[in-house]
Coordinates of all heavy atoms in Angstrom, one line a residue:
K34 N 25.5 1.8 22.3 CA 26.9 2.0 22.7 C 27.1 2.1 24.2 O 26.2 2.7 24.9 CB 27.5 3.3 22.1 CG 27.6 3.2 20.6 CD 28.2 4.4 19.9 CE 28.4 4.2 18.5 NZ 28.9 5.4 17.8
G35 N 28.1 1.4 24.7 CA 28.3 1.4 26.2 C 27.6 0.3 26.9 O 27.7 0.1 28.1
E36 N 26.8 -0.5 26.1 CA 26.0 -1.6 26.7 C 26.5 -2.9 26.1 O 27.1 -2.9 25.1 CB 24.5 -1.4 26.5 CG 24.0 -0.2 27.2 CD 22.5 0.0 27.0 OE1 21.9 -1.0 26.5 OE2 22.0 1.0 27.3
R37 N 26.1 -4.0 26.8 CA 26.5 -5.3 26.3 C 25.3 -6.2 25.8 O 25.5 -7.2 25.3 CB 27.3 -6.1 27.4 CG 28.6 -5.4 27.8 CD 29.3 -6.1 28.9 NE 29.7 -7.5 28.5 CZ 30.8 -7.8 27.8 NH1 31.7 -6.8 27.6 NH2 31.1 -9.0 27.5
E38 N 24.1 -5.7 26.1 CA 22.9 -6.4 25.7 C 22.8 -6.4 24.2 O 22.7 -5.3 23.5 CB 21.7 -5.8 26.3 CG 21.6 -5.9 27.8 CD 21.2 -7.3 28.2 OE1 20.5 -8.1 27.4 OE2 21.6 -7.7 29.3
R39 N 22.7 -7.6 23.6 CA 22.5 -7.7 22.1 C 21.0 -7.4 21.8 O 20.1 -7.9 22.5 CB 22.9 -9.1 21.6 CG 24.3 -9.3 21.8 CD 24.7 -10.6 21.4 NE 26.2 -10.8 21.5 CZ 26.9 -11.7 20.9 NH1 26.3 -12.5 20.0 NH2 28.2 -11.8 21.1
S40 N 20.8 -6.7 20.7 CA 19.4 -6.4 20.3 C 19.3 -6.6 18.8 O 20.3 -6.6 18.1 CB 19.1 -4.9 20.6 OG 19.2 -4.7 22.0
V41 N 18.1 -6.6 18.3 CA 17.8 -6.6 16.9 C 17.0 -5.3 16.6 O 16.2 -4.9 17.4 CB 17.1 -7.8 16.4 CG1 17.9 -9.1 16.5 CG2 15.8 -8.1 17.2
V42 N 17.1 -4.8 15.4 CA 16.4 -3.6 15.0 C 15.0 -4.1 14.5 O 14.9 -5.0 13.7 CB 17.1 -2.8 13.9 CG1 16.2 -1.7 13.4 CG2 18.4 -2.3 14.4
E43 N 14.0 -3.5 15.0 CA 12.6 -3.8 14.7 C 11.9 -2.8 13.8 O 11.2 -3.1 12.9 CB 11.7 -4.0 15.9 CG 12.1 -5.2 16.8 CD 11.8 -6.5 16.2 OE1 11.1 -6.6 15.2 OE2 12.4 -7.5 16.7
A44 N 12.2 -1.5 14.0 CA 11.6 -0.4 13.2 C 12.4 0.8 13.4 O 13.3 0.9 14.2 CB 10.2 -0.2 13.8
E45 N 12.0 1.8 12.6 CA 12.7 3.1 12.5 C 11.7 4.2 12.8 O 10.6 4.1 12.3 CB 13.4 3.3 11.2 CG 14.1 4.6 11.0 CD 13.2 5.6 10.3 OE1 12.3 5.1 9.5 OE2 13.4 6.8 10.4
S46 N 12.0 5.2 13.5 CA 11.1 6.4 13.8 C 12.0 7.6 13.9 O 12.8 7.7 14.7 CB 10.4 6.1 15.1 OG 9.6 7.3 15.4
E47 N 11.7 8.6 13.0 CA 12.5 9.8 12.9 C 13.9 9.5 12.8 O 14.4 8.9 11.9 CB 12.2 10.7 14.2 CG 10.7 11.1 14.3 CD 10.3 12.1 13.2 OE1 11.0 13.0 12.9 OE2 9.1 11.9 12.8
D48 N 14.8 9.9 13.8 CA 16.2 9.7 13.7 C 16.6 8.5 14.7 O 17.8 8.4 15.1 CB 17.0 10.9 14.1 CG 16.8 11.4 15.5 OD1 15.7 11.0 16.1 OD2 17.6 12.2 16.0
C49 N 15.6 7.7 15.0 CA 15.9 6.6 16.0 C 15.5 5.3 15.4 O 14.7 5.2 14.5 CB 15.0 6.8 17.3 SG 15.5 8.3 18.2
F50 N 16.1 4.2 16.0 CA 15.7 2.9 15.7 C 15.0 2.3 16.9 O 15.4 2.6 18.0 CB 16.9 2.0 15.4 CG 17.5 2.3 14.1 CD1 18.7 3.0 14.0 CD2 17.0 1.8 12.9 CE1 19.3 3.2 12.8 CE2 17.5 2.0 11.7 CZ 18.7 2.8 11.6
E51 N 14.0 1.5 16.7 CA 13.3 0.7 17.8 C 14.1 -0.6 17.8 O 14.1 -1.3 16.8 CB 11.8 0.6 17.5 CG 11.1 -0.1 18.7 CD 9.7 -0.2 18.5 OE1 9.2 -0.1 17.4 OE2 9.0 -0.4 19.5
I52 N 14.7 -0.9 18.9 CA 15.4 -2.2 19.0 C 14.7 -3.1 20.1 O 14.1 -2.6 21.0 CB 16.9 -1.9 19.4 CG1 17.1 -1.2 20.7 CG2 17.5 -1.2 18.2 CD1 18.6 -1.1 21.1
R53 N 14.9 -4.4 19.9 CA 14.4 -5.4 20.9 C 15.5 -6.2 21.4 O 16.3 -6.8 20.7 CB 13.4 -6.3 20.2 CG 12.8 -7.4 21.1 CD 11.8 -8.3 20.4 NE 12.3 -8.8 19.1 CZ 13.0 -9.8 18.9 NH1 13.5 -10.5 19.9 NH2 13.4 -10.2 17.7
R54 N 15.7 -6.1 22.8 CA 16.7 -6.9 23.4 C 16.4 -8.4 23.3 O 15.3 -8.8 23.5 CB 16.9 -6.5 24.9 CG 17.7 -5.3 25.1 CD 18.2 -5.2 26.5 NE 17.2 -5.4 27.5 CZ 17.1 -4.6 28.6 NH1 17.9 -3.7 28.8 NH2 16.1 -4.9 29.5
L55 N 17.5 -9.1 23.0 CA 17.3 -10.6 22.9 C 17.1 -11.3 24.2 O 16.4 -12.3 24.3 CB 18.5 -11.2 22.2 CG 18.7 -10.8 20.7 CD1 20.0 -11.4 20.2 CD2 17.5 -11.1 19.8
S56 N 17.7 -10.7 25.3 CA 17.6 -11.4 26.6 C 16.2 -11.4 27.2 O 15.8 -12.3 27.8 CB 18.6 -10.7 27.5 OG 18.2 -9.4 27.7
D57 N 15.4 -10.3 27.0 CA 14.1 -10.2 27.6 C 13.0 -9.6 26.7 O 11.9 -9.4 27.2 CB 14.2 -9.4 28.9 CG 14.7 -7.9 28.6 OD1 14.8 -7.5 27.5 OD2 14.9 -7.2 29.6
S58 N 13.3 -9.4 25.4 CA 12.4 -8.9 24.4 C 11.9 -7.5 24.7 O 11.0 -7.0 24.1 CB 11.2 -9.8 24.3 OG 11.6 -11.0 23.8
K59 N 12.6 -6.8 25.6 CA 12.2 -5.4 25.9 C 12.5 -4.5 24.7 O 13.6 -4.6 24.1 CB 13.0 -4.9 27.2 CG 12.6 -3.5 27.6 CD 13.3 -3.1 28.8 CE 13.0 -1.6 29.2 NZ 13.7 -1.2 30.3
M60 N 11.5 -3.6 24.4 CA 11.7 -2.7 23.2 C 12.1 -1.3 23.7 O 11.6 -0.9 24.8 CB 10.4 -2.6 22.5 CG 9.8 -3.9 22.0 SD 10.8 -4.6 20.6 CE 10.2 -3.6 19.3
R61 N 12.9 -0.6 22.9 CA 13.2 0.8 23.3 C 13.7 1.5 22.0 O 14.1 0.8 21.0 CB 14.2 0.9 24.4 CG 15.6 0.4 24.1 CD 16.4 0.5 25.3 NE 17.8 0.2 24.9 CZ 18.8 0.8 25.5 NH1 18.6 1.7 26.5 NH2 20.0 0.5 25.2
Y62 N 13.7 2.8 22.1 CA 14.2 3.6 21.0 C 15.6 4.1 21.3 O 15.9 4.5 22.4 CB 13.3 4.8 20.8 CG 12.0 4.5 20.1 CD1 10.9 4.2 20.9 CD2 11.8 4.3 18.8 CE1 9.7 3.9 20.4 CE2 10.6 4.0 18.2 CZ 9.5 3.7 19.0 OH 8.4 3.4 18.5
V63 N 16.5 4.0 20.3 CA 17.9 4.4 20.4 C 18.2 5.3 19.2 O 17.9 4.9 18.0 CB 18.8 3.2 20.5 CG1 20.2 3.6 20.6 CG2 18.4 2.3 21.7
K64 N 18.9 6.4 19.4 CA 19.3 7.2 18.2 C 20.3 6.4 17.4 O 21.1 5.6 17.9 CB 20.0 8.5 18.7 CG 19.0 9.5 19.3 CD 19.6 10.8 19.6 CE 18.6 11.7 20.1 NZ 18.9 13.1 19.7
A65 N 20.3 6.6 16.1 CA 21.2 5.9 15.2 C 22.6 6.1 15.6 O 23.4 5.1 15.5 CB 20.9 6.4 13.8
S66 N 23.0 7.3 16.0 CA 24.4 7.5 16.4 C 24.8 6.8 17.7 O 26.0 6.6 17.9 CB 24.6 9.0 16.6 OG 23.8 9.5 17.7
Q67 N 23.9 6.2 18.4 CA 24.2 5.5 19.6 C 24.2 4.0 19.4 O 24.3 3.2 20.4 CB 23.2 5.8 20.7 CG 23.3 7.3 21.2 CD 24.7 7.6 21.7 OE1 25.2 6.9 22.6 NE2 25.4 8.6 21.2
L68 N 24.0 3.5 18.2 CA 24.0 2.1 17.9 C 25.4 1.6 17.5 O 26.1 2.4 16.8 CB 23.0 1.7 16.8 CG 21.6 1.6 17.1 CD1 20.8 1.2 15.9 CD2 21.4 0.6 18.2
A69 N 25.8 0.4 17.8 CA 27.0 -0.2 17.4 C 26.8 -1.6 17.0 O 25.9 -2.3 17.5 CB 28.0 -0.2 18.6
L70 N 27.5 -2.0 16.0 CA 27.4 -3.4 15.5 C 28.1 -4.3 16.5 O 29.2 -4.0 17.0 CB 28.1 -3.5 14.2 CG 28.1 -4.9 13.5 CD1 26.7 -5.2 13.1 CD2 29.0 -4.8 12.2
V71 N 27.4 -5.4 16.9 CA 27.9 -6.2 18.0 C 29.1 -7.0 17.5 O 30.1 -7.1 18.1 CB 26.8 -7.2 18.5 CG1 27.4 -8.2 19.4 CG2 25.7 -6.4 19.2
Q72 N 29.0 -7.6 16.3 CA 30.1 -8.4 15.7 C 30.1 -8.1 14.2 O 29.1 -8.0 13.6 CB 29.8 -9.9 15.9 CG 29.9 -10.4 17.3 CD 29.5 -11.8 17.4 OE1 28.5 -12.2 17.0 NE2 30.4 -12.6 18.0
A73 N 31.3 -7.9 13.7 CA 31.5 -7.7 12.3 C 31.4 -9.0 11.6 O 31.5 -10.1 12.2 CB 32.9 -7.1 12.0
N74 N 31.1 -9.0 10.3 CA 30.9 -10.3 9.6 C 32.0 -11.2 9.7 O 31.9 -12.4 9.9 CB 30.6 -10.0 8.1 CG 29.3 -9.3 7.9 OD1 28.5 -9.1 8.8 ND2 29.1 -8.8 6.7
A75 N 33.3 -10.7 9.7 CA 34.5 -11.5 9.8 C 34.5 -12.2 11.1 O 35.0 -13.3 11.2 CB 35.7 -10.7 9.5
D76 N 34.1 -11.5 12.2 CA 34.1 -12.1 13.5 C 33.2 -13.2 13.7 O 33.4 -14.1 14.5 CB 33.8 -11.0 14.6 CG 34.8 -9.9 14.6 OD1 36.0 -10.1 14.2 OD2 34.5 -8.8 15.1
L77 N 32.1 -13.2 12.9 CA 31.1 -14.3 13.0 C 31.6 -15.6 12.4 O 31.1 -16.6 12.7 CB 29.8 -13.8 12.3 CG 29.0 -12.7 13.0 CD1 27.9 -12.3 12.1 CD2 28.5 -13.1 14.4

Side-chain angles (χ1 to χ4, degrees):
K34 289 183 179 176
E36 297 182 9
R37 298 181 61 88
E38 290 285 335
R39 294 177 181 205
S40 301
V41 293
V42 175
E43 295 290 345
E45 175 265 334
S46 174
E47 299 293 320
D48 65 338
C49 294
F50 287 104
E51 185 176 17
I52 62 173
R53 178 178 48 84
R54 275 199 314 223
L55 295 177
S56 62
D57 60 7
S58 296
K59 183 178 178 182
M60 303 288 286
R61 68 183 188 146
Y62 288 93
V63 178
K64 288 189 178 209
S66 62
Q67 295 300 308
L68 280 181
L70 184 63
V71 172
Q72 291 176 307
N74 292 351
D76 295 338
L77 292 173

